[in-house]
Amino acid sequence: MTKPSLPELLHAAVAAVGGAERPGQVTMAEAVGQAIDDGTHLLVQAGTGTGKSLGYLVPALAHGDRVVVATATLALQRQLVERDLPRTVEALHPLLRRRPEFAMLKGRSNYLCLHRLHEGVPQDDEEGLFDPFEAAAPTSKLGQDLMRLRDWSDETETGDRDDLTPGVSDRAWGQVSVTSRECLGATKCAYGAECFAEAARERAKLADVVVTNHALLAIDAIEGAPVVPQHEVLIVDEAHELVSRVTGVATGELTPGQVNRAVRRAAKLVDEKAADQLQTAAEGFERLMELALPGRLQELPEDLAYALMALRDAARAVITAIGNTRDRSVQDEDAVRKQALAAVENVHAVAERIANGSEWDVVWYERHDRFGASLRVAPLSVSGLLREKLFADRSVVLTSATLKLGGDFNGVGASLGLAAEGVEGEDLPVWKGIDVGSPFDYRKQGILYVARHLATPGREGSRGDMMDELAELIQAAGGRTLGLFSSMRAAQAAAEELRGRLDQPVLLQGEDTLGELIKTFAGDAATCLFGTLSLWQGVDVPGPNCQLVVMDRIPFPRPDDPLMSARQKAVEEAGGNGFMAVAATHAALLMAQGAGRLVRATGDRGVVAVLDPRLANARYGSFLRASLPDFWYTTDRNQVRRSLAAIDAAATAATAGQAG
């Protein structure tokens, strides 16, 4: 039997999931297949509506050896495992003459821990697993959640938190789950044979396609502990998120609450001397944190360095003491020890990392109104880590709707540890980038409007002219507006102002769950939805109820953002353009994601309005505009109002016709 071609396989898969082949799908599938065969690396920009999931799943399934697919969002993980993969496998079975297996793999804390559920672990006083009164009559929300989890544990086959509907609070889930550091291990745990997390790992070891997430991929790479099964091919979807997810995993944090929690847990297991030493170090650290002011620490102040070394040494002594002491009077001591060790080892690792100092780390204080001060440390760059750990011994395909910024892939490539496209050298991964386009005709479906006449936005203060412009645009559109703001404060100010000026309802992120807000917005044409970062990337509302996407300003990182400013300075010291490499690239990525909220289907029409004249006037404006979909571009405010009114009238007439 002749081996089927990728176009033949793709045609069968598309037919199985329902629909027709889309422009760019075949090109993408063949490019992915070629990269897998050659063992090289590929960046694929595939616009919204391309059907990129099938564009990489088909060559992955045809490959034969194990492939790992890593995504950023839970929604896409579930779509792949519950819809795309089952249908695609069945569709390809007659052609491949085999039925590839697939599995989902998440971090251990996403799975119910039977040991924690049934045996409990003595917690800190304020964190008791079951209050005796609550256990008898669980009237509180926490008690009800825990009783539900007990019942669910007998019903579930996966133990996966995301299979629990409706869900439970983070606090409740935290009391029936463990981190990898807290886990006893399958061989030591009385419930090891029934462990949901271990079962998920075993399924992944046997699967041809393993679907995981960016965070677990980062843990696997950074900590050197094999979490993800061995594989020769890695596909990273939503790859524009990878650098920030890896940075998040590589970031360490110390807070007084976290340190005090470690003290309380360790005190149950070690002698008084070791416990007192850690307690004293914790008190010294807490006193310093009460005075901490937000901002980067270019050098460690002497008092902070002393406090961190005291914490490091005291934590090391406690770790040694826990290893030498076993108290059989403590109920279920192994679990208690494991939990205490996890808490103290984290304090030791972060304190030692910051105290030792590294030119490749950035250290700063943060202060939160609710949680107080924290001390944080993050890598100046993760590009070297990704180059060494991600690209060294496997073929990697990275795909997203937004990888090509300013007209090429070099900006994103550099952040991933790749040299400029076409540049080869010793130890440099060989890669290429392709843009397979989009099924949408952006120039006919959308307008990019820049309000060139507005004043340049300052860092603080109200923008009366911007509010006027926004109100007029919403009125012309008849509502139908997604407002993307650079800060929560700006979104709140706009919502408060316009609720008093407009007849159209204005929803605000944070006033209800994001899912409910999007559902309400999608269901009512007159409604507007205002919000910040997660809305720039997380809204999918095709159809006439989202016809105006507004960005209040270019979303540059804050000038006082310690990590971004440090990265910008490092590029400048190396002779590069720090602003373009860091700030402009960050803004371009967000703007491309935000503009992508407008056109989600072939029938969508509308306007992306940027209320920041710098997009038209500044030298970097052309770079940012080149990163956006190829909308028809204008700065004519009257033309845009007429266009919005016409789109609104057409949508209203179409809705009335359907109702009639």
Side-chain angles (χ1 to χ4, degrees):
M1 181 178 177
T2 306
K3 182 180 178 181
S5 67
L6 280 175
E8 288 176 305
L9 293 171
L10 183 63
H11 180 76
V14 170
V17 300
E21 287 178 21
R22 306 173 192 180
Q25 263 187 323
V26 173
T27 303
M28 178 176 179
E30 291 182 329
V32 172
Q34 191 65 53
I36 291 174
D37 290 343
D38 295 344
T40 56
H41 309 303
L42 178 70
L43 272 64
V44 185
Q45 175 158 298
T48 303
T50 303
K52 66 181 187 303
S53 297
L54 289 184
Y56 61 70
L57 283 180
V58 168
L61 292 168
H63 174 55
D65 294 327
R66 180 181 292 123
V67 174
V68 170
V69 177
T71 75
T73 65
L74 172 64
L76 185 52
Q77 276 185 271
R78 294 185 73 89
Q79 176 187 314
L80 289 172
V81 171
E82 295 177 4
R83 191 188 74 182
D84 293 349
L85 273 165
R87 296 179 182 179
T88 306
V89 165
E90 288 306 312
L92 300 189
H93 172 234
L95 296 170
L96 295 177
R97 306 181 80 173
R98 57 187 173 83
R99 188 175 275 108
E101 298 288 333
F102 54 89
M104 187 188 296
L105 184 62
K106 302 179 183 178
R108 190 171 290 274
S109 61
N110 289 280
Y111 300 97
L112 184 75
C113 173
L114 293 171
H115 184 280
R116 179 69 65 89
L117 180 77
H118 294 302
E119 306 296 332
V121 174
Q123 303 279 312
D124 306 325
D125 291 342
E126 73 275 17
E127 296 179 353
L129 181 62
F130 270 107
D131 179 272
F133 299 103
E134 207 166 56
T139 55
S140 75
K141 179 65 167 66
L142 176 62
Q144 291 168 355
D145 281 349
L146 291 170
M147 292 301 291
R148 273 192 61 223
L149 286 164
R150 281 188 182 277
D151 294 339
W152 180 67
S153 69
D154 295 327
E155 304 165 2
T156 178
E157 295 182 1
T158 65
D160 185 336
R161 181 180 183 180
D162 295 314
D163 292 339
L164 175 64
T165 305
V168 296
S169 68
D170 288 345
R171 185 182 176 203
W173 186 259
Q175 296 197 33
V176 296
S177 63
V178 294
T179 65
S180 57
R181 284 188 171 185
E182 293 171 330
C183 176
L184 294 174
T187 57
K188 293 182 179 180
C189 178
Y191 300 88
E194 308 163 65
C195 177
F196 293 118
E198 290 297 322
R201 288 194 178 196
E202 288 304 313
R203 287 193 295 271
K205 287 178 184 177
L206 300 173
D208 299 281
V209 177
V210 179
V211 179
T212 187
N213 54 59
H214 292 180
L216 201 62
L217 187 68
I219 291 168
D220 189 75
I222 293 169
E223 298 186 358
V227 181
V228 180
Q230 284 288 334
H231 55 283
E232 294 182 356
V233 177
L234 170 65
I235 297 172
V236 183
D237 203 344
E238 301 171 295
H240 62 278
E241 292 265 24
L242 183 62
V243 168
S244 64
R245 300 295 171 114
V246 173
T247 298
V249 170
T251 297
E253 181 180 39
L254 278 179
T255 68
Q258 170 194 0
V259 174
N260 288 329
R261 195 155 46 245
V263 171
R264 289 194 297 272
R265 291 175 179 174
K268 303 170 185 176
L269 299 168
V270 300
D271 59 55
E272 188 176 346
K273 180 180 177 182
D276 285 349
Q277 184 184 357
L278 186 57
Q279 177 72 54
T280 301
E283 290 171 354
F285 177 70
E286 186 167 12
R287 282 194 297 271
L288 276 180
M289 295 299 286
E290 288 172 355
L291 304 173
L293 297 175
R296 184 184 178 189
L297 300 173
Q298 298 270 15
E299 294 183 4
L300 282 188
E302 187 175 344
D303 52 357
L304 177 59
Y306 178 81
L308 289 170
M309 287 187 285
L311 262 185
R312 176 198 63 192
D313 296 343
R316 185 189 298 127
V318 165
I319 292 167
T320 301
I322 291 176
N324 295 334
T325 307
R326 298 185 72 83
D327 182 358
R328 289 302 178 188
S329 67
V330 178
Q331 182 185 11
D332 204 6
E333 189 213 12
D334 281 342
V336 175
R337 286 157 58 86
K338 198 72 172 174
Q339 186 183 59
L341 266 175
V344 179
E345 284 173 347
N346 184 62
V347 169
H348 175 266
V350 179
E352 182 174 54
R353 178 180 173 185
I354 298 175
N356 287 350
S358 167
E359 62 178 315
W360 307 112
D361 271 343
V362 180
V363 180
W364 73 96
Y365 283 127
E366 277 189 10
R367 184 167 286 280
H368 191 281
D369 291 341
R370 182 179 174 188
F371 302 111
S374 64
L375 180 64
R376 312 196 80 198
V377 56
L380 183 61
S381 170
V382 295
S383 59
L385 174 71
L386 290 171
R387 181 169 57 246
E388 177 186 352
K389 301 292 187 181
L390 204 69
F391 295 99
D393 54 5
R394 74 199 85 184
S395 174
V396 183
V397 174
L398 302 109
T399 184
S400 166
T402 48
L403 291 179
K404 195 174 180 182
L405 303 179
D408 61 46
F409 293 93
N410 290 333
V412 170
S415 70
L416 295 166
L418 303 171
E421 189 173 8
V423 175
E424 296 185 16
E426 189 176 353
D427 298 328
L428 291 177
V430 176
W431 68 282
K432 73 173 184 176
I434 64 166
D435 182 354
V436 300
S438 166
F440 306 140
D441 187 341
Y442 285 115
R443 291 191 69 80
K444 291 184 177 179
Q445 291 184 248
I447 297 171
L448 172 62
Y449 164 59
V450 180
R452 191 172 193 165
H453 61 284
L454 296 180
T456 300
R459 183 173 174 185
E460 301 293 345
S462 62
R463 297 180 62 196
D465 59 346
M466 187 273 285
M467 293 291 187
D468 293 341
E469 182 79 11
L470 179 56
E472 291 176 15
L473 289 170
I474 291 173
Q475 287 174 325
R480 310 181 190 276
T481 301
L482 177 65
L484 305 177
F485 292 83
S486 54
S487 70
M488 203 62 229
R489 181 181 299 176
Q492 290 166 345
E496 182 179 343
E497 171 80 14
L498 295 186
R499 281 170 175 169
R501 295 172 59 168
L502 299 175
D503 295 330
Q504 290 85 0
V506 177
L507 306 176
L508 177 64
Q509 186 179 356
E511 293 183 345
D512 202 340
T513 65
L514 192 55
E516 283 301 312
L517 289 172
I518 293 173
K519 182 179 178 182
T520 304
F521 173 59
D524 180 13
T527 297
C528 305
L529 173 59
F530 290 0
T532 183
L533 189 59
S534 56
L535 293 189
W536 289 70
Q537 305 183 78
V539 177
D540 183 13
V541 181
N545 289 4
C546 181
Q547 294 188 332
L548 173 61
V549 174
V550 178
M551 304 180 201
D552 69 326
R553 62 195 296 163
I554 298 172
F556 292 124
R558 289 177 60 93
D560 57 0
D561 182 305
L563 186 56
M564 287 295 198
S565 59
R567 287 176 170 175
Q568 189 166 320
K569 183 179 179 183
V571 172
E572 291 165 356
E573 289 175 348
N577 187 325
F579 172 77
M580 292 301 296
V582 179
T585 296
H586 171 86
L589 191 56
L590 271 180
M591 292 187 77
Q593 285 288 310
R597 302 310 98 199
L598 180 69
V599 177
R600 311 296 295 178
T602 53
D604 288 353
R605 301 285 187 276
V607 172
V608 172
V610 181
L611 308 186
D612 186 335
R614 293 175 295 179
L615 188 62
N617 301 333
R619 290 176 62 186
Y620 52 77
S622 58
F623 170 82
L624 297 176
R625 294 197 304 273
S627 305
L628 303 179
D630 187 26
F631 296 127
W632 186 74
Y633 172 61
T634 185
T635 59
D636 186 334
R637 58 193 303 201
N638 294 321
Q639 174 63 53
V640 164
R641 281 159 180 70
R642 288 194 296 270
S643 297
L644 283 170
I647 294 169
D648 174 45
T652 301
T655 302
Q658 291 170 1

